[in-house]
Amino acid sequence: MGRRKLDINTASVDEFTSLSGIGQIKAKAIIDLRNELGQFAEVNDLQKVPGIGSVLMDHNRPVLQCKIVKVKQRPKISRATRRIASRAASGRLLVEESPNLPVASNCNASLPTTLCRRYNTRRNGSENISRDPTVLSVVAKKPRCQYKRRWKAAAVRTLPSPQRSAKRRRAANQPPVVPANVQPCSSRGEDGGVGNSLSKHTSTGNCGETLARPSSSKCSDNAQNAQNPHHLRRRGFFRARRANPLHAAEDHSAYASGTGEVGGRTVCSAAENACAQQATSALDDDSATSTQSNLSISHELPDRRWTKRKPEPSDDSRGPKKFCCSEESGSELQDETSCEQQTLSAVESSQSSSTRKQKIPSKKNPPPLLNGWLKTFQNWTPSERLLALDELVEICDPTQVRHVMQVIEPQFQRDFISLLPKELALYVLSFLEPNDLLRAAQTCRYWHMLAEDNILWREKCHEEGISESLVFGSIVRRKRPSSKSLWKSLFLRQQQIEKNWRASNRAPKVLKGHDDHVITCLEFNGMKIVSGSDDNTLKVWSAVTGKCLRTLTGHTGGVWSSQMSGNVIISGSTDRTLKVWDADTGRTIFTLYGHTSTVRCMHLHKNRVVSGSRDATLRMWDVETGHCLHVLIGHMAAVRCVQYDGRRVVSGAYDYMVKIWDPEKETCLQTLAGHTNRVYSLQFDGMHIVSGSLDTSIRVWSAETGACLHTLVGHQSLTSGMELKDNILVSGNADSTVKVWNITTGQCLQTLNGPNKHQSAVTCLQFNRKLIITSSDDGTIKIWDLRTGEFIRNLVTLESGGSGGVVWRIRCNNSKLVCAVGSRNGTEETKLLVLDFDVEDDAQSAAGRAATTVAAS
């Protein structure tokens, strides 16, 4: 047998807790929501309770049902009651606050009491007490009389207006008509209401007692008007005391005694009024507890005449007729009107404050269910909270999501750097890229102070391969930057230099010399340039001014190789000798004899130089003494290239072999066989040997074992030039292409070709951590991006390029480029071009402008 279904409109807390996943807190929340809504319309209304989602509903849906309970309709309210209620809500009823009066001892509840007023009509009529607690009125139904007219008695009078006051002034001199057999009597009930009976001669009070109604002299004087029934059916009677402090004090004392008269009228005792209040409140089951119970109607003096007030113009033209009394003197009526207008403004101000808009929910004024929802959320597990947050975000509109973002974002914008010790803060900042570190310095003063740390920027400069000697020359180094951090200044200077390499168009310095001969070798140390030619001379140039400082003469054959260290220059010639020169004076220090053929290559390390010759031998020389220290014999053909790291010598020759030597023992350690043609180029970093051959291949060897690690295949012709730094090899080939390799993996990283590639053989190349510079027989020098292989721009383009103009050699440092250009057919003059991309100082820029073109001496 199936489980009995649970009706969510009648279930209790214990019955809700029997459901799966519903605890005591959720059950109470369901009950609270049901009480707020009155009843649930459907089962899915349970999802409005915090913590009850679609999963929980699907699990319990088979055992839930929702039965709609019909609500008993409220009793209808008469039209007259609604009229008075609408006027009370719009502020057109005059009520005034009265002092709290004694409470009857025989009443069950402590209720504030007020004066009662009773009205008599010509016929007895049943009374209907308004069910709206804000309306202080008693309305008499239609009396059963031959005229079938509706008689109404209002417990409160309407507020005066300038128009009604004028009408009252015009009617002040007209005597009222009062029936002789009708005597007005007044007893005030709770909230200024009229007593609950209207009679001809006698009236029963709110507590059931019969009250005597002494006749008024004014009423007896006008007894003759009672014979006219027309006035009886068209007039009601209103008797009240005007708001007067003296009369109010008399009325209060009379009321407090319980036996006196107020304004000539019999009053009920406090006990009677309290009982009447309870009886009136019992008739209205839906009345709110916010009824203002300490209100009473204004009182009138007994010596005033009755005057009919015409109905005021309002939205409800069918409203009950109102009556008031006027003074016999017109001046008193004007004073009364001004008093009533002041009372009107006070009432309107109080009603405007009570009818203000509801306050916007805030922490001080939270919604009713917020605290319960938060307690429910706190009792959930972390996974349940995450699920609830996901569901909450899904049902929020974009405006609410943006509000959540604005609240959450500041939680993650904490300045944790300022909270850390300086050492830890610097360690954290060291992980930023230099450009990000520059942006972080603009955050605040403390971050700026940390970002100026000299040690931090020294590490950044080392990561980028920047050294002080690299950026500043020997002359410029004397000028220290004004920044607190020297290394930061170096970094910023280097950044500007790189931008100049990529985009700045600098006019080159032209150094003319060597006539129309070929420049065979080129050396550059930053301040001086040395060029060797087949005209048997070497020239020393100033890289700053472009002037030719010295011309070194002494060789009897063409110069084909050279090396420079400081002020020492070593040159090798076809005259089979090496010469050691003093660059400052231009004199020959030593002439080294020993080779029997052209000295084709050499490599200088400290004070020792190793030379290779076409006689198939290698010799080690001491440049300080001019002595030949060692002779290495083993190659079978001319030695074309040589490398020396201070411990071992590596040589490549036309016998297709690469040999590793121990110069101290003059023995060959390894012979690296593998190439099938002449070896023209060589690179050695202490661990790896890279050789380029006419067989179009490039081989990577182990310097320790002599094993061939990789064979780099991709070029189509002779590899004429190579350069190796940090396991990155850049090779230039006669097939007009340049390739970038990783020698540890043997992978080709980039091939520099495309529409902007060289149109002829690559003659020379240089590269650093970011840029590659290549020269070619097509008369151009191009700059490329090392990491992406993208072409950046042409640094030099000869006008005779393609028709004989050639760039033979290039040398560069961090900020300058030196290139040797000319032609083999006389179309281009032999010269040196110097491009300076350094940050221009005042002295340097002036000197550069003065020496744009310098003729060789």
Side-chain angles (χ1 to χ4, degrees):
M1 186 173 181
R3 181 178 175 182
R4 183 176 66 86
K5 290 192 175 184
L6 185 66
D7 185 10
I8 62 175
N9 278 330
T10 59
S12 61
V13 175
D14 295 335
E15 290 175 337
F16 279 120
T17 53
S18 64
L19 298 175
S20 175
I22 304 297
Q24 192 76 14
I25 296 177
K26 292 181 182 178
K28 291 181 179 179
I30 294 173
I31 297 299
D32 294 340
L33 180 60
R34 186 176 67 189
N35 293 337
E36 182 181 354
L37 298 177
Q39 62 179 347
F40 293 111
E42 57 180 354
V43 175
N44 289 333
D45 287 348
L46 291 181
Q47 294 186 9
K48 298 179 181 179
V49 178
I52 299 180
S54 58
V55 177
L56 197 59
M57 283 297 302
D58 294 340
H59 189 69
N60 292 295
R61 195 182 300 277
V63 296
L64 296 176
Q65 65 177 353
C66 180
K67 294 183 179 180
I68 306 300
V69 180
K70 294 184 179 180
V71 182
K72 186 178 180 182
Q73 296 183 353
R74 296 180 179 179
K76 295 183 179 180
I77 302 175
S78 65
R79 183 183 300 173
T81 305
R82 287 196 297 269
R83 289 196 194 103
I84 297 178
S86 63
R87 295 193 178 189
S90 61
R92 296 198 299 269
L93 293 181
L94 176 60
V95 291
E96 55 187 49
E97 187 175 356
S98 64
N100 291 330
L101 301 178
V103 179
S105 59
N106 60 348
C107 292
N108 296 329
S110 298
L111 301 173
T113 60
T114 56
L115 297 177
C116 302
R117 184 186 303 277
R118 178 165 289 116
Y119 298 90
N120 297 329
T121 59
R122 182 173 158 282
R123 299 270 185 185
N124 286 335
S126 58
E127 297 181 21
N128 180 22
I129 298 178
S130 172
R131 293 187 176 274
D132 190 344
T134 63
V135 180
L136 311 178
S137 64
V138 175
V139 181
K141 291 184 178 179
K142 287 184 180 181
R144 295 173 183 173
C145 62
Q146 57 180 344
Y147 299 106
K148 302 295 183 181
R149 302 290 297 176
R150 176 177 297 180
W151 292 84
K152 304 176 183 65
V156 292
R157 57 186 172 81
T158 58
L159 295 175
S161 66
Q163 295 179 354
R164 292 198 299 274
S165 299
K167 294 178 181 179
R168 289 169 56 185
R169 294 188 192 98
R170 290 193 299 268
N173 298 323
Q174 298 178 5
V177 180
V178 181
N181 57 346
V182 178
Q183 299 177 0
C185 176
S186 173
S187 62
R188 289 184 180 270
E190 177 64 15
D191 296 338
V194 181
N196 57 358
S197 68
L198 297 173
S199 62
K200 201 169 188 180
H201 300 288
T202 62
S203 177
T204 304
N206 288 342
C207 296
E209 300 177 1
T210 302
L211 305 178
R213 295 180 299 278
S215 299
S216 174
S217 60
K218 293 294 181 180
C219 293
S220 60
D221 293 338
N222 297 322
Q224 66 272 13
N225 294 326
Q227 303 301 326
N228 189 354
H230 176 72
H231 297 287
L232 292 178
R233 67 174 180 265
R234 293 185 58 85
R235 282 189 174 87
F237 300 96
F238 183 92
R239 186 70 168 175
R241 291 171 67 84
R242 293 296 181 187
N244 190 304
L246 298 177
H247 298 156
E250 295 173 1
D251 295 347
H252 184 275
S253 60
Y255 177 80
S257 62
T259 56
E261 292 183 349
V262 178
R265 302 292 179 266
T266 304
V267 298
C268 299
S269 65
E272 293 173 343
N273 289 330
C275 294
Q277 179 187 9
Q278 287 185 340
T280 304
S281 300
L283 295 177
D284 189 3
D285 296 335
D286 300 326
S287 62
T289 59
S290 62
T291 305
Q292 301 176 0
S293 59
N294 56 344
L295 300 176
S296 64
I297 307 302
S298 303
H299 310 300
E300 287 290 343
L301 292 174
D303 56 350
R304 302 199 179 175
R305 293 181 299 180
W306 291 101
T307 305
K308 178 182 177 182
R309 175 186 296 171
K310 294 183 180 180
E312 61 175 284
S314 62
D315 295 339
D316 190 0
S317 59
R318 298 175 297 174
K321 298 178 181 179
K322 307 299 178 182
F323 297 90
C324 67
C325 63
S326 62
E327 294 286 347
E328 294 182 1
S329 172
S331 60
E332 294 180 1
L333 185 59
Q334 292 178 359
D335 296 339
E336 178 184 333
T337 303
S338 61
C339 180
E340 290 177 348
Q341 289 178 353
Q342 294 177 0
T343 307
L344 172 61
S345 61
V347 172
E348 288 179 348
S349 62
S350 63
Q351 289 179 348
S352 63
S353 62
S354 64
T355 57
R356 290 176 182 171
K357 292 184 179 179
Q358 187 179 3
K359 294 182 179 179
I360 298 176
S362 61
K363 291 184 177 180
K364 296 182 179 180
N365 183 33
L369 298 179
L370 179 61
N371 293 331
W373 186 88
L374 293 177
K375 291 180 181 178
T376 304
F377 185 80
Q378 291 174 354
N379 293 332
W380 288 344
T381 62
S383 59
E384 291 176 339
R385 291 184 181 184
L386 293 177
L387 179 61
L389 291 175
D390 292 340
E391 296 292 335
L392 183 61
V393 172
E394 287 182 1
I395 63 176
C396 289
D397 55 37
T399 303
Q400 296 165 347
V401 173
R402 283 194 296 271
H403 173 74
V404 173
M405 182 181 65
Q406 293 173 357
V407 173
I408 293 176
E409 278 185 346
Q411 303 298 326
F412 295 94
Q413 296 174 352
R414 297 177 60 87
D415 185 7
F416 65 94
I417 293 294
S418 301
L419 302 177
L420 294 175
K422 182 179 179 180
E423 293 77 9
L424 290 178
L426 291 174
Y427 179 74
V428 172
L429 293 178
S430 66
F431 289 94
L432 295 178
E433 293 295 329
N435 291 335
D436 296 333
L437 196 58
L438 292 174
R439 296 188 188 98
Q442 303 175 9
T443 304
C444 61
R445 292 184 179 179
Y446 184 73
W447 282 46
H448 180 76
M449 183 268 293
L450 293 175
E452 288 284 337
D453 186 78
N454 201 43
I455 299 176
L456 178 63
W457 282 103
R458 184 186 66 183
E459 296 300 324
K460 294 300 177 184
C461 288
H462 289 170
E463 291 175 3
E464 295 292 328
I466 302 173
S467 62
E468 185 178 1
S469 60
L470 179 65
V471 179
F472 294 101
S474 58
I475 294 178
V476 183
R477 188 187 303 180
R478 299 173 188 173
K479 298 182 180 180
R480 295 292 178 180
S482 59
S483 174
K484 296 181 180 179
S485 175
L486 170 65
W487 289 99
K488 180 180 178 181
S489 299
L490 295 179
F491 184 87
L492 296 177
R493 187 182 184 96
Q494 179 62 24
Q495 271 199 333
Q496 185 60 44
I497 291 173
E498 289 181 3
K499 291 180 180 179
N500 294 341
W501 276 99
R502 292 175 178 269
S504 179
N505 294 320
R506 301 291 180 91
K509 296 181 179 68
V510 180
L511 286 63
K512 294 182 180 181
H514 298 294
D515 297 332
D516 291 333
H517 292 273
V518 176
I519 297 177
T520 56
C521 53
L522 186 65
E523 300 297 326
F524 173 52
N525 66 357
M527 302 302 297
K528 294 178 181 179
I529 303 169
V530 177
S531 60
S533 173
D534 61 357
D535 64 355
N536 305 342
T537 64
L538 296 96
K539 290 185 179 292
V540 181
W541 311 82
S542 171
V544 178
T545 63
K547 293 181 179 181
C548 180
L549 303 177
R550 301 285 183 272
T551 299
L552 309 180
T553 59
H555 281 293
T556 58
V559 178
W560 284 90
S561 60
S562 64
Q563 291 280 282
M564 182 173 61
S565 176
N567 292 328
V568 178
I569 301 172
I570 301 101
S571 60
S573 172
T574 57
D575 62 4
R576 299 170 292 180
T577 64
L578 286 83
K579 288 185 178 291
V580 179
W581 310 85
D582 186 344
D584 291 338
T585 62
R587 70 182 181 89
T588 302
I589 300 176
F590 300 108
T591 300
L592 309 178
Y593 296 96
H595 286 293
T596 59
S597 185
T598 301
V599 180
R600 190 66 181 82
C601 58
M602 67 176 62
H603 194 274
L604 176 65
H605 181 76
K606 294 183 179 179
N607 63 336
R608 294 188 178 186
V609 63
V610 178
S611 59
S613 173
R614 287 182 177 176
D615 62 6
T617 63
L618 296 102
R619 291 178 179 267
M620 180 174 286
W621 312 83
D622 188 337
V623 298
E624 293 181 351
T625 62
H627 294 157
C628 180
L629 301 178
H630 306 287
V631 179
L632 306 177
I633 302 174
H635 281 292
M636 304 304 295
V639 178
R640 181 64 176 80
C641 48
V642 63
Q643 293 282 306
Y644 176 49
D645 67 349
R647 189 170 67 91
R648 287 171 292 185
V649 176
V650 180
S651 60
Y654 285 173
D655 60 0
Y656 313 162
M657 299 297 174
V658 177
K659 289 183 179 292
I660 305 173
W661 308 85
D662 184 349
E664 300 296 330
K665 297 180 179 180
E666 296 184 356
T667 58
C668 179
L669 301 178
Q670 300 285 345
T671 299
L672 311 179
H675 286 294
T676 60
N677 211 325
R678 295 177 178 182
V679 178
Y680 274 87
S681 56
L682 202 63
Q683 290 290 311
F684 177 44
D685 64 357
M687 296 182 62
H688 300 91
I689 300 170
V690 182
S691 58
S693 172
L694 189 59
D695 63 4
T696 72
S697 69
I698 300 173
R699 290 180 180 268
V700 181
W701 314 83
S702 172
E704 297 296 331
T705 63
C708 181
L709 302 178
H710 303 286
T711 299
L712 310 180
V713 180
H715 286 300
Q716 304 300 320
S717 185
L718 167 67
T719 301
S720 54
M722 294 189 304
E723 192 165 357
L724 177 64
K725 292 179 182 178
D726 300 328
N727 295 328
I728 299 299
L729 175 71
V730 179
S731 61
N733 198 270
D735 63 0
S736 73
T737 64
V738 179
K739 289 182 179 292
V740 182
W741 312 83
N742 186 336
I743 63 172
T744 59
T745 63
Q747 181 183 3
C748 179
L749 303 178
Q750 303 290 344
T751 299
L752 310 183
N753 54 14
N756 296 302
K757 73 171 186 176
H758 287 293
Q759 301 302 315
S760 186
V762 177
T763 58
C764 194
L765 60 87
Q766 299 267 275
F767 82 98
N768 58 18
R769 295 172 61 90
K770 296 182 179 180
L771 303 175
I772 302 174
I773 302 170
T774 60
S775 64
S776 171
D777 281 344
D778 61 3
T780 62
I781 299 176
K782 297 179 181 294
I783 184 169
W784 313 76
D785 190 289
L786 175 65
R787 297 177 182 176
T788 64
E790 295 179 354
F791 170 77
I792 298 177
R793 63 174 179 140
N794 286 330
L795 293 177
V796 173
T797 302
L798 298 178
E799 294 180 359
S800 61
S803 60
V806 179
V807 180
W808 287 312
R809 294 286 184 271
I810 61 171
R811 290 290 184 268
C812 65
N813 65 359
N814 182 64
S815 60
K816 290 183 175 63
L817 170 67
V818 180
C819 55
V821 301
S823 65
R824 295 183 179 89
N825 55 8
T827 57
E828 185 72 32
E829 186 180 8
T830 300
K831 56 191 173 184
L832 298 178
L833 300 179
V834 180
L835 285 83
D836 190 357
F837 299 104
D838 199 355
V839 178
E840 291 187 350
D841 296 327
D842 295 337
Q844 288 181 345
S845 59
R849 287 190 297 268
T852 303
T853 304
V854 178
S857 60

